[in-house]
Amino acid sequence: METLNYNPHTVKLGYWNTKEFLSFLEQNQTRHLRNFKAGQIKSYLEYLQHRPNCNRSGSLSAGYINKHITTLRLLSKFLQLTGTANIAIKPELLKTCETATYLSKAEIKALYKAAKDQDNLYSQRDTAMLGIYYGCGLRASEGAALNISDLLFEKDLLYVRQGKGYRQRYVPMNKQVKSGLQEYIFNQRDELLNGQKNEALLLGRRGTRWSQQGMYNRLQLLKNQTSDEKLKQKTFGLHILRHSIATHLLQEGMRLENIALFLGHKSIESTQKYTHLVNGSIF
């Protein structure tokens, strides 16, 4: 996964998921891959569906189990390509009843207003963060991996080097996003660096690359500093900003194919979930 330039967070998750799978096999008397039986995949998925969630009460979500399934598929491909074992592990992803949720344009404006508050010491950085995740629709990992050199201001483009599945793409920047990023780069970013050198675009208070967790926490702070009481009660992370811009673009009439290109989706099926929102009760 590292060789194929997968995101470090995805690599780490793949490691733990693989370790849990192999541990499960050992506990069920399978000490070597040559003794692996296809039926054990079904048993493993049943085990995951009943395993307690380590981070909160209840069981694992279907979405989280699907991440285990994706890891198993990669493991199967690796074993076959390297000749380590001829094991076909291709379980189907679980069906989920989840649909993409999003914030309204008014709620997005409330977040921007909170970011630009005169009492906010990091207003330019926070505005740049919203521009990256809402204005450009990037995934959490994509935004965190951005470097200064990935901003092509003369072409109004942003270069995503580390997209999902190691795919690369260019994303357009509108005037508002471009202006916010330039203001941050030429002012507050230098203050955060404090004489240090760092190629990362978004920086934390100590001048190092801003982590996804740090940005998530900052988004919660901005949410709680808005005057929108309903917005304060909502639970969401950085990814909701991506869902929101996709939904808003669809509302405004952009073709589904173009939204798929904008988001970096491999197939248009991944983008079609937003049509449920537009065809529902959002107007």
Side-chain angles (χ1 to χ4, degrees):
M1 291 174 74
E2 289 176 342
T3 301
L4 293 175
N5 200 30
Y6 273 79
N7 177 268
H9 175 74
T10 305
V11 175
K12 187 176 182 180
L13 183 62
Y15 167 77
W16 287 111
N17 288 350
T18 303
K19 187 175 182 180
E20 183 169 4
F21 173 63
L22 296 178
S23 176
F24 172 83
L25 292 182
E26 287 185 349
Q27 291 172 15
N28 286 272
Q29 311 308 313
T30 300
R31 306 271 176 190
H32 196 281
L33 288 173
R34 63 172 172 264
N35 300 321
F36 171 82
K37 298 177 181 178
Q40 288 178 296
I41 288 296
K42 182 178 180 181
S43 299
Y44 181 61
L45 294 181
E46 290 176 351
Y47 150 77
L48 289 176
Q49 290 172 334
H50 292 90
R51 176 170 79 73
N53 191 310
C54 298
N55 298 316
R56 57 177 174 79
S57 60
S59 58
L60 300 177
S61 68
Y64 190 79
I65 293 175
N66 282 341
K67 292 180 179 179
H68 277 264
I69 293 175
T70 300
T71 299
L72 292 177
R73 289 175 173 178
L74 283 171
L75 174 63
S76 174
K77 186 175 182 180
F78 170 78
L79 293 174
Q80 293 184 62
L81 287 175
T82 58
T84 306
N86 187 23
I87 295 176
I89 306 175
K90 295 183 178 180
E92 295 296 320
L93 293 175
L94 301 181
K95 291 184 178 180
T96 65
C97 57
E98 298 175 357
T99 56
T101 55
Y102 72 103
L103 301 180
S104 67
K105 291 182 180 180
E107 290 171 327
I108 292 293
K109 288 181 180 179
L111 289 175
Y112 268 101
K113 184 178 179 180
K116 295 180 179 180
D117 189 281
Q118 62 181 359
D119 294 328
N120 181 6
L121 297 176
Y122 303 100
S123 60
Q124 294 174 358
R125 184 197 60 179
D126 292 350
T127 300
M129 176 188 72
L130 292 176
I132 291 295
Y133 289 112
Y134 174 73
C136 294
L138 265 60
R139 299 178 177 91
S141 59
E142 293 172 345
L146 283 177
N147 292 332
I148 283 288
S149 59
D150 296 328
L151 300 180
L152 310 177
F153 286 130
E154 69 281 2
K155 296 182 179 179
D156 296 334
L157 292 174
L158 182 154
Y159 177 46
V160 178
R161 292 174 292 107
Q162 299 182 29
K164 188 174 183 179
Y166 60 92
R167 294 187 298 274
Q168 304 170 341
R169 72 183 187 280
Y170 289 94
V171 179
M173 291 186 285
N174 62 29
K175 290 182 179 179
Q176 180 183 355
V177 172
K178 181 179 179 179
S179 175
L181 286 170
Q182 288 178 326
E183 187 176 3
Y184 159 68
I185 289 171
F186 298 128
N187 295 289
Q188 201 159 64
R189 186 175 181 277
D190 284 339
E191 295 176 11
L192 290 168
L193 279 173
N194 194 25
Q196 303 176 73
K197 290 185 178 181
N198 197 316
E199 62 180 3
L201 172 62
L202 296 173
L203 302 174
R205 289 181 296 175
R206 297 179 181 179
T208 56
R209 188 180 294 274
W210 207 6
S211 68
Q212 293 181 48
Q213 185 62 48
M215 287 187 277
Y216 170 84
N217 293 339
R218 193 67 183 175
L219 183 60
Q220 306 314 302
L221 185 145
L222 292 177
K223 178 189 71 172
N224 292 328
Q225 288 184 340
T226 68
S227 57
D228 189 327
E229 295 302 321
K230 289 185 178 180
L231 178 60
K232 291 179 182 180
Q233 299 303 315
K234 293 186 177 182
T235 302
F236 58 86
L238 295 168
H239 210 68
I240 199 71
L241 302 177
R242 176 176 161 88
H243 286 325
S244 300
I245 185 62
T247 304
H248 297 161
L249 290 174
L250 197 57
Q251 287 177 331
E252 293 168 4
M254 181 179 280
R255 290 172 59 86
L256 204 61
E257 295 85 349
N258 293 333
I259 296 176
L261 288 172
F262 176 72
L263 296 176
H265 283 160
K266 185 178 181 180
S267 64
I268 200 170
E269 285 76 13
S270 300
T271 320
Q272 285 177 334
K273 60 186 174 184
Y274 299 109
T275 61
H276 170 78
L277 296 174
V278 173
N279 294 330
S281 57
I282 61 177
F283 288 113

